[in-house]
Amino acid sequence: MSENELHRIGVIKEVCNKQLTQMTAASNLGLTRRHIQRLVNQFRQDGDVGLVSKRRGLPSNRRFLSDFREKVLTLVKQKYADFKPTFACEKLAELHGIKLSSETLRQWLITEGLWRVRKRKQKKVYQPRYRRECYGDLVQIDGSHHDWFEGRSAKCCLLVFIDDATSQLMSLRFCESESSYDYMNITREYIDNYGKPTAFYSDKHSVFKVNSPSRKSSKQMTQYGRILYELNIELICANSSQAKGRVERANRTLQDRLIKEMRLAGINTIEEANAWLPEFMADFNRRFACSAYSSQDAHRPVQESAIELDDMFTRQTSRKVSNSLTLQYDKIIYLLDPTEKAKRLVNKAVMIYDYPDGTIALRYCGEELTYSVFDKLRSVQQGDIVNNKRLGAALAFAKENQAERENTYDRTRNARKGSRKAQVRAMNPRVADEVKFKSSLTRE
């Protein structure tokens, strides 16, 4: 028996023993006096069992028909086999006009063996942290590497910016790898749309923090950290994934919902996805975003001009000018035009601005320097370290280089089929002339 039924038995017994009037019992149980008389008659006839509901154990009168149940399960098997019950229930209502509760659908799927209840492992306890009070006070950022297009395109990374106070998705952007330039682009887009937040909350990825043991003691910043410092935005690096759990949980939700939404929308490339993401963000925030404790907006207006922002969102470094008016950056030698101003810069440091679009600017004390590309260094050291999060892009680049080397090897092997002079001439004409000259001396 339930607690309500046990309480009802006690009251009816008092009525039968004339310790309580029927009007008082009706007032206590929230029933009419006539219904109290019926319960008294049932109790006197059958005892405690007479007060138990006769409908217990029988199917509900409000249950769905079996034909409707089969129709829903057929749709789920055909189109939403890998959807979770809540998400499948939403799609049934949006696309097919079928309205039912997610718990009903979950029980149906469990009965049919289409959904399995998993036993959760005992997790480590982490003390909760209150949300920030103001919108824009703290923005959690992270990159999620996943097969977002389910094999229709190569694996890529989704950069996620989420507000801590409201759980609102602020910016989403697909990119090939989690690099500094990608974070520069999405951050520039963020401050153009919302302004400057108080702080960004990230992990200890090398884009945000210098992780080299030899540099940890120094105050050196990464390129992205320098940009935020110039914009007066605080960068906080979390010590664990649980500390920035809001963006981690958002990544988990996106890896489930976003993939299937793109499948339904027929999106197959990064370009198509980035153009469609604002529509998804609006629908996502309508469903899951909440209100902040305070109505204050902590975003600050951007004081810098567009030109100043263009210079900030670059990879900046310095190089010394050699006696031949050259400097080396990113395996490329740049030759300064031999002007009087350039000649005075020998052995002085020149700032290099490497823009995300690939253009390079050389400046000294804010003045632009004209230059030309002298030569490219073709050798790549085997000891170059590639970050784990960019390993996929690095391997793809390596495969392209290997294919190019294979083609070069095939052309060289075909050239070796000729005579020795033809071989030497094909490989290096200058060496061929030297061989010809030495052979003439031998004959003389």
Side-chain angles (χ1 to χ4, degrees):
M1 292 184 181
S2 64
E3 293 184 3
N4 291 334
E5 290 174 341
L6 292 174
H7 176 62
R8 180 179 293 183
I9 289 174
V11 175
I12 297 302
K13 284 182 178 179
E14 292 179 357
V15 174
C16 293
N17 296 332
K18 298 183 179 181
Q19 298 175 354
L20 201 66
T21 64
Q22 291 187 0
M23 292 299 296
T24 306
S27 177
N28 293 339
L29 297 178
L31 303 174
T32 63
R33 189 202 64 79
R34 294 182 63 184
H35 192 59
I36 293 295
Q37 183 62 50
R38 295 190 196 98
L39 295 177
V40 169
N41 295 337
Q42 292 175 4
F43 178 76
R44 287 174 178 173
Q45 180 180 355
D46 301 324
D48 295 349
V49 181
L51 299 182
V52 177
S53 174
K54 303 298 188 296
R55 295 292 306 172
R56 179 166 297 173
L58 298 178
S60 173
N61 291 331
R62 295 185 297 174
R63 68 183 184 278
F64 290 105
L65 299 177
S66 58
D67 296 340
F68 177 78
R69 181 175 180 272
E70 293 298 328
K71 177 184 176 182
V72 171
L73 291 176
T74 302
L75 279 174
V76 172
K77 291 177 183 178
Q78 291 177 353
K79 296 186 177 181
Y80 313 111
D82 57 342
F83 282 44
K84 293 183 178 179
T86 302
F87 195 22
C89 189
E90 293 176 3
K91 290 305 168 186
L92 289 174
E94 292 178 5
L95 304 179
H96 306 281
I98 299 175
K99 295 184 179 180
L100 72 162
S101 67
S102 58
E103 186 60 31
T104 300
L105 181 59
R106 180 179 288 105
Q107 295 301 325
W108 289 356
L109 296 179
I110 292 174
T111 303
E112 293 293 324
L114 301 178
W115 180 255
R116 185 179 62 179
V117 180
R118 299 179 180 177
K119 294 182 179 179
R120 297 184 178 180
K121 297 181 180 179
Q122 187 175 4
K123 297 182 179 179
K124 185 178 179 181
V125 177
Y126 291 93
Q127 292 295 324
R129 175 183 61 83
Y130 287 106
R131 293 174 179 267
R132 302 301 299 174
E133 295 184 355
C134 300
Y135 170 71
D137 196 10
L138 182 68
V139 178
Q140 298 189 17
I141 61 178
D142 192 26
S144 177
H145 297 260
H146 196 68
D147 186 11
W148 292 100
F149 298 98
E150 301 176 303
R152 300 188 300 273
S153 291
K155 292 183 179 181
C156 59
C157 177
L158 176 66
L159 303 184
V160 182
F161 281 37
I162 185 171
D163 182 63
D164 185 80
T166 61
S167 292
Q168 177 179 340
L169 289 179
M170 308 298 289
S171 294
L172 293 178
R173 186 183 182 90
F174 282 106
C175 54
E176 294 181 357
S177 62
E178 193 175 358
S179 62
S180 299
Y181 284 130
D182 294 315
Y183 274 105
M184 291 179 190
N185 292 331
I186 190 174
T187 305
R188 176 69 182 274
E189 177 184 342
Y190 180 94
I191 65 174
D192 288 341
N193 294 335
Y194 307 103
K196 298 188 294 185
T198 303
F200 282 130
Y201 200 35
S202 69
D203 54 16
K204 293 184 178 180
H205 182 36
S206 58
V207 173
F208 312 112
K209 187 176 182 296
V210 177
N211 295 316
S212 176
S214 60
R215 298 181 180 180
K216 280 187 177 181
S217 58
S218 65
K219 296 183 179 180
Q220 186 175 359
M221 295 184 295
T222 63
Q223 293 290 336
Y224 187 74
R226 174 193 54 80
I227 294 172
L228 297 185
Y229 178 78
E230 294 178 358
L231 291 172
N232 196 16
I233 300 175
E234 188 71 21
L235 178 61
I236 305 172
C237 296
N239 291 323
S240 64
S241 300
Q242 290 77 12
K244 55 184 186 66
R246 209 168 311 284
V247 69
E248 295 290 348
R249 289 189 293 272
N251 289 338
R252 185 176 177 182
T253 305
L254 292 172
Q255 289 178 4
D256 176 42
R257 286 176 170 257
L258 180 56
I259 290 177
K260 295 161 186 173
E261 290 281 10
M262 290 193 297
R263 184 202 307 164
L264 295 177
I267 295 175
N268 301 321
T269 62
I270 292 180
E271 292 76 15
E272 295 176 355
N274 286 332
W276 171 81
L277 280 176
E279 177 183 347
F280 171 80
M281 288 171 54
D283 181 70
F284 187 94
N285 293 333
R286 178 179 60 83
R287 296 176 186 271
F288 300 107
C290 60
S291 300
Y293 292 115
S294 173
S295 59
Q296 180 184 357
D297 188 354
H299 288 102
R300 295 162 294 163
V302 180
Q303 304 294 338
E304 295 80 6
S305 64
I307 298 178
E308 291 175 339
L309 290 177
D310 291 338
D311 291 340
M312 285 183 184
F313 286 92
T314 57
R315 185 186 295 273
Q316 298 180 12
T317 185
S318 61
R319 293 289 188 273
K320 281 190 177 181
V321 181
S322 65
N323 293 329
S324 57
L325 299 182
T326 61
L327 53 90
Q328 179 183 329
Y329 170 72
D330 196 18
K331 298 182 174 58
I332 298 178
I333 297 177
Y334 296 94
L335 177 62
L336 300 179
D337 292 346
T339 60
E340 292 297 329
K341 181 170 63 176
K343 293 178 181 178
R344 291 193 295 268
L345 298 180
V346 175
N347 293 329
K348 292 184 179 181
V350 174
M351 289 299 299
I352 301 176
Y353 292 78
D354 190 352
Y355 293 89
D357 59 359
T359 58
I360 300 293
L362 305 182
R363 294 176 186 173
Y364 180 75
C365 295
E367 295 184 7
E368 194 86 16
L369 302 175
T370 56
Y371 67 91
S372 60
V373 178
F374 178 71
D375 192 13
K376 296 183 179 181
L377 303 179
R378 300 178 182 177
S379 61
V380 179
Q381 300 295 330
Q382 293 290 336
D384 289 346
I385 299 176
V386 178
N387 187 281
N388 185 41
K389 292 189 175 182
R390 302 179 60 186
L391 187 58
L395 289 176
F397 179 72
K399 289 180 180 178
E400 294 179 2
N401 289 341
Q402 290 172 356
E404 184 178 354
R405 290 181 60 189
E406 288 291 340
N407 295 334
T408 305
Y409 176 74
D410 292 339
R411 290 195 301 268
T412 306
R413 183 174 56 184
N414 294 332
R416 290 177 180 175
K417 294 180 180 180
S419 61
R420 180 175 180 273
K421 293 181 180 180
Q423 291 179 24
V424 176
R425 188 176 295 108
M427 296 176 64
N428 195 330
R430 181 178 297 179
V431 177
D433 295 339
E434 293 179 359
V435 172
K436 183 176 179 181
F437 177 73
K438 290 180 180 179
S439 61
S440 63
L441 290 179
T442 304
R443 288 196 300 269
E444 292 178 356

